[in-house]
């Protein structure tokens, strides 16, 4: 029985989204950079954007205005949040074009405390369900039905270090249960990881308008590797470097426009490719190929982070291909009504995720509702027509509201 075949096909389809054939006769670095070679990781669901706001602006959020879902994008932003506390509930029915039953649920929140609210604690819970998966034996008989899932729980701390700069850290526990119960020793995977984040904001003048210009950085999922067979084989977590900027321009007293941009690079080494190990006679050097694979599997996650900057078979050109980016606009009216749009790009040789995003939101007293929509430009994309929904609460406003009612 093939473990995880149905499950990982779905997850890998989400990331790669298209297929290409590589040539065993490739010899030049330029041609190597044009081979289909996406970065491989475990627990892929950790890289899925969870909220409607960031998801509707091209999957960005490193430097946007802080909100309740900042734990995923950049936890250092919480120290600059307007409200003392907030809670966000997010839901995404995922990959509905190819299979039903896959859902992502995400709950996150924060609370500021201390002198002048310079500090914040935060937490989030992510649950990625793959629905029901049927397992068959070699005779084609149904053996069992399982409900695979991935979850992550984390806690964070952020603090202002100056009037314009903050930093944050997050500690995360990850569990991925993709196993069948057939007595072969397979088991759920567990891992621990952390994030390091920074946020800087300034208020330049453009004419007579005071604008906001922010920069953000988040290195997420720095941690152990995951294994489903007791450590015999291990996979890297999707360690990611995210850098972004946001510029907010007040048009008048009621209208705001923000321009946002994020760039991402997975800090995971490239899996070796067979075309790297053909000798001058056109024959595959099997020993060198096996040694390279073993080195990859034995590599620590920390070493992999540093190696990821210069190990692409196609050289610097392919390293540039590994950078995906998103750009988005957010229009705000009276701090109550929001319209959003964006675009996300990933190189065709590294996954080919290219899509437009749209969304809207409304704030009503102490809560707000947001929705996002994905319109893919890549052929046969499983991301096409994906919807996201978010419900956010101002915890400080709720406390004041119910406290005021009790006093009356």
């Amino acid at each position: 029985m093939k473990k995880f075949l149905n499950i990982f096909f779905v997850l890998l389809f989400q990331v790669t989204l298209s297929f290409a054939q590589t040539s065993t006769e490739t010899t030049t670095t330029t041609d190597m950079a044009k081979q289909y070679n996406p970065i491989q990781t475990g627990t892929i669901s950790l890289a899925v954007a969870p909220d409607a706001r960031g998801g509707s602006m091209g999957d960005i959020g490193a430097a946007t205005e802080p909100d309740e879902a900042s734990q995923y994008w950049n936890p250092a932003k919480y120290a600059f949040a307007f409200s003392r506390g907030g809670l966000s509930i997010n839901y995404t029915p995922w990959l509905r074009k190819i299979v039903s039953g896959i859902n992502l649920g995400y709950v996150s929140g924060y609370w500021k405390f201390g002198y002048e609210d310079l500090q914040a604690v935060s937490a989030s819970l992510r649950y990625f369900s793959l629905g029901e998966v049927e397992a068959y034996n070699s005779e084609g008989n149904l053996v069992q039905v399982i409900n695979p899932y991935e979850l992550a729980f984390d806690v964070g701390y952020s603090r202002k270090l100056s009037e314009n700069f903050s930093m944050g850290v997050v500690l995360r526990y990850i569990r991925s249960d993709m196993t069948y119960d057939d007595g072969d020793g397979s088991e759920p995977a567990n891992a621990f990881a952390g994030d390091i984040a920074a946020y800087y904001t300034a208020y330049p003048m453009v004419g007579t308008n005071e604008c906001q210009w922010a920069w953000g950085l988040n290195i997420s999922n720095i941690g152990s590797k995951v294994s489903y067979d007791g450590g015999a084989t291990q996979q890297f977590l999707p360690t990611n470097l995210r850098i972004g900027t946001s510029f907010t321009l007040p048009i008048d007293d009621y209208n705001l426009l923000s321009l946002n941009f994020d760039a991402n690079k997975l800090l995971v080494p490239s899996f070796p490719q067979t075309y790297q190990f053909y000798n001058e006679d056109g024959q595959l050097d099997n020993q060198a190929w096996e040694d390279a694979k073993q080195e990859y599997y034995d590599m620590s996650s920390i070493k992999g982070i540093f190696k990821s900057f210069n190990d692409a078979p196609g050289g610097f050109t392919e390293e540039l291909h590994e950078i995906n980016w998103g750009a988005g606009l957010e229009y705000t009216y009276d701090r109550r009504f929001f319209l959003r749009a964006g675009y996300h790009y990933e190189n065709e040789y590294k996954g080919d995720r290219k899509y437009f995003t749209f969304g809207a939101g409304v704030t009503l007293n102490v809560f707000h509702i947001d929705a996002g929509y994905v319109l893919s430009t890549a052929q046969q994309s499983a991301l096409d027509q994906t919807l996201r929904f978010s419900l956010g609460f101002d915890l400080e406003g709720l406390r004041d509201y119910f406290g005021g009612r009790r006093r009356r």
Side-chain angles (χ1 to χ4, degrees), residues 12 39-42 223-237 268-274 277 288-304 307 311:
L12 291 174
I39 300 297
Q40 301 179 23
T41 72
S224 59
K225 300 169 78 171
V226 292
S227 175
Y228 298 91
D229 53 12
T233 58
Q234 296 183 335
Q235 298 175 323
F236 289 93
L237 294 176
V268 177
S270 299
F271 191 80
Q273 302 297 299
T274 54
F277 302 96
W289 163 239
E290 293 299 327
D291 290 345
K293 289 193 295 182
Q294 192 61 47
E295 180 185 2
Y296 175 87
Y297 289 128
D298 292 342
M299 190 182 307
S300 69
S301 56
I302 300 300
K303 182 179 179 179
K307 191 175 178 60
D311 70 334

Side-chain angles (χ1 to χ4, degrees), residues 22 38 45 67 267 292 404:
T22 59
S45 68
D67 61 12
L267 304 184

